[in-house]
Amino acid sequence: MRVSEAVKSRRSMRVFKPDPVAKADIEWIITTANRAASNGNLQPWKLYVTMNAARRRLSAAILQAMDKGDTGPGAEYDVYPKQFKPVYDQRRKLVGKQLYTLLGVPRGDTVGMQKQFRKNYEFFDAPVGLLLCVERGMGNGQWIDCGIFLDQLMLLAREKGLHTCPQAAFSRFQHVVRRELGVHDDQVVICGLALGHADPDAVPNSLITERAPIEDFVRWHEE
Ligand SMILES: Cc1cc2nc3c(=O)[nH]c(=O)nc-3n(C[C@H](O)[C@H](O)[C@H](O)COP(=O)(O)O)c2cc1C
């Protein structure tokens, strides 16, 4: 697979088939992604792999906490900017509208939206759930490194015919993730990553999100 094919075919999938993923493939994806660049070669990423019963246990524990109203301290970092400029607000709302239209959840249907949101914590039924963490003392630079590592995981998954969905939703329940996976106190839970075989016939998986033209964010200096 060409790099561009991996990039173009990657998109966030939100309906997975139960088909298992070979541990050897997960290991290959992680080992290869581990070649990611990082400033000073710090390699600051920490990864927790959950599969089979362990994956289901984590999901059950989070959903149980959710049902009990045990929201804990919440995400430890700003998952979104504190204030949205209109352009970003529009983008976020557009993708939400497109996704919920495909899901058949009408605007204002809070029950339907909540039901969909819960699916995050089941990794959208993917058999493998990864959790990406970084030590709390790390700076913005190391968070960039973790982002690069995350992207490499997503692209390499494509080469194995697998799909992914990055999920900041897990940072909200970091207290449960911590408890279930033994994540040390000195680590911040950045996000989850669903990994598995996407259901090609599932309508929500047909969402191709929009991108702004490069003229909107590129400034050329040629002479
Ligand atoms: C760091 C990060 C966190 C995300 N968190 C979630 C999430 O919690 N739930 C979800 O359904 N999608 C999540 N997404 C997926 C984004 O909505 C998606 O990447 C964006 O809409 C662009 O669509 P695409 O990935 O299909 O190209 C996340 C993406 C990133 C990069």
Side-chain angles (χ1 to χ4, degrees):
M1 179 180 266
R2 296 170 71 95
V3 177
S4 58
E5 283 175 55
V7 170
K8 287 179 187 172
S9 67
R10 183 218 60 81
R11 60 183 195 268
S12 297
M13 296 297 201
R14 296 182 180 86
V15 184
F16 287 86
K17 296 193 286 184
D19 308 15
V21 176
K23 188 175 174 190
D25 285 348
I26 308 172
E27 267 176 335
W28 177 85
I29 290 169
I30 299 170
T31 306
T32 314
N34 195 32
R35 296 301 313 165
S38 59
N39 198 2
N41 200 22
L42 262 58
Q43 307 160 61
W45 39 84
K46 309 282 180 205
L47 195 67
Y48 297 79
V49 183
T50 70
M51 50 203 292
N52 310 318
R55 206 291 277 144
R56 290 191 294 273
R57 239 183 356 258
L58 173 65
S59 297
I62 296 178
L63 290 176
Q64 199 183 45
M66 209 173 173
D67 291 340
K68 283 197 305 194
D70 170 18
T71 49
E76 265 193 273
Y77 69 101
D78 292 331
V79 166
Y80 278 127
K82 285 192 178 74
Q83 286 218 309
F84 274 95
K85 282 186 184 169
V87 60
Y88 302 118
D89 197 39
Q90 281 156 17
R91 287 178 187 169
R92 182 181 60 144
K93 284 182 176 149
L94 177 64
V95 75
K97 191 175 158 196
Q98 289 169 330
L99 179 62
Y100 282 96
T101 301
L102 289 177
L103 287 162
V105 178
R107 199 158 174 247
D109 177 1
T110 43
V111 175
M113 286 175 85
Q114 182 68 2
K115 208 172 139 200
Q116 173 61 21
F117 183 66
R118 284 174 73 91
K119 290 185 183 173
N120 265 291
Y121 299 110
E122 290 179 298
F123 293 95
F124 303 112
D125 287 334
V128 183
L130 309 178
L131 273 301
L132 178 64
C133 300
V134 67
E135 280 171 30
R136 191 165 294 115
M138 291 296 186
N140 291 352
Q142 288 67 58
W143 282 64
I144 294 176
D145 302 337
C146 288
I148 294 171
F149 176 67
L150 177 68
D151 198 40
Q152 303 228 122
L153 291 173
M154 296 193 285
L155 296 180
L156 288 158
R158 293 302 304 121
E159 196 173 320
K160 290 288 176 188
L162 300 168
H163 274 288
T164 53
C165 185
Q167 300 178 271
F170 281 92
S171 61
R172 287 196 192 199
F173 283 90
Q174 45 109 353
H175 63 302
V176 185
V177 172
R178 232 171 251 297
R179 192 177 69 218
E180 289 297 312
L181 305 183
V183 176
H184 200 271
D185 259 359
D186 73 353
Q187 291 178 22
V188 178
V189 176
I190 302 177
C191 65
L193 184 71
L195 173 70
H197 298 273
D199 181 345
D201 302 322
V203 177
N205 286 346
S206 64
L207 176 61
I208 312 283
T209 51
E210 295 178 15
R211 294 295 186 272
I214 70 166
E215 290 72 25
D216 280 17
F217 63 92
V218 179
R219 294 291 173 266
W220 301 87
H221 297 264
E222 294 185 76
E223 283 167 31

